[in-house]
């Protein structure tokens, strides 16, 4: 559903310009939330200025956000997810996974089907909410990548499609 409305999100948030998003207050966020061409979840919309401020801070410390995120590499994807969850607003899994995918970072997406397959493969016992469980996921993806030569995003897709609905 979000993919079909993506152009409206880009328009509403000025192509996700960090200065614009950081400056949003209650009134403009309410106006955006009332639009019919986007999903106006109030809590999620109000996280946008906070996340823009977080990203702006990173942008001031590093040459670019892309360079910062890419520097983690796939070997440290789980650490990057934990950083976003800790410092961002509503950037848990799978939101952080999708955000990084949009940023061009090769990583796994912890959607319900991927988690179900990881449980079926005895990688984890439940949804990976702890750093230890997330590291188990990281280790499994790294092993599969090394064994088969697939990118994390490809492995994620294979796992998601291999679970019975």
């Amino acid at each position: 559903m979000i993919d079909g409305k993506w152009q409206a999100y880009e328009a509403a948030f000025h192509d996700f310009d960090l200065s614009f998003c950081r400056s949003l207050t209650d009134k403009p966020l309410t106006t955006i939330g009332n639009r019919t061409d986007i999903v106006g979840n109030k809590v999620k919309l109000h996280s946008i200025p906070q996340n823009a401020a977080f990203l702006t801070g990173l942008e001031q410390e590093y040459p670019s956000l892309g360079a910062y995120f890419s520097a983690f590499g796939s070997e440290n994807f789980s650490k990057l997810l934990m950083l976003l969850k800790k410092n961002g607003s509503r950037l848990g899994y799978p939101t952080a996974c999708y955000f990084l995918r949009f940023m061009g970072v090769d990583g796994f997406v912890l959607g319900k089907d991927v988690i179900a397959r990881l449980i079926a493969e005895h990688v984890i016992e439940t949804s990976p909410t702890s750093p230890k469980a997330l590291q188990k996921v990281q280790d499994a993806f790294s092993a599969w990548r090394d064994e088969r030569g697939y990118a994390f995003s490809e492995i994620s897709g294979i796992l998601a499609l291999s679970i019975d609905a």
Side-chain angles (χ1 to χ4, degrees), residues 2 32 43 54 65 78 81 85 91-92 123 143-144 146 154:
I2 300 300
I32 292 169
V43 175
F54 164 59
L65 290 174
S78 64
L81 290 176
K85 185 176 182 179
L91 284 179
V123 172
W144 291 324
D146 294 347
E154 293 171 306

Side-chain angles (χ1 to χ4, degrees), residues 3 37 42:
D3 286 345
D37 56 347
K42 183 178 179 177

Side-chain angles (χ1 to χ4, degrees), residues 6 54-55 58 65-74 76-85 91-110 134 138 152-153:
W6 196 249
F54 164 59
L55 294 173
L58 290 177
L65 290 174
Y68 175 76
F69 293 131
S70 295
F72 276 82
S74 57
N76 293 305
F77 188 71
S78 64
K79 288 179 176 57
L80 184 52
L81 290 176
M82 287 185 278
L83 173 106
L84 291 173
K85 185 176 182 179
L91 284 179
Y93 330 120
T95 304
C97 299
Y98 285 117
F99 167 73
L100 292 168
R101 179 91 43 99
F102 282 123
M103 292 287 296
V105 176
D106 178 42
F108 43 82
V109 171
L110 293 174
L134 194 57
Q138 173 77 56
F152 280 13
S153 59

Side-chain angles (χ1 to χ4, degrees), residues 17-68:
D17 176 76
L18 289 179
S19 294
F20 174 79
C21 291
R22 195 177 61 246
S23 71
L24 289 169
T25 58
D26 285 341
K27 186 174 180 179
L29 284 169
T30 299
T31 301
I32 292 169
N34 289 334
R35 290 175 57 155
T36 58
D37 56 347
I38 67 169
V39 178
N41 180 303
K42 183 178 179 177
V43 175
K44 289 181 181 180
L45 288 174
H46 280 80
S47 72
I48 290 170
Q50 296 166 24
N51 286 327
F54 164 59
L55 294 173
T56 298
L58 290 177
E59 196 173 55
Q60 291 172 351
E61 290 183 51
Y62 299 92
S64 73
L65 290 174
Y68 175 76

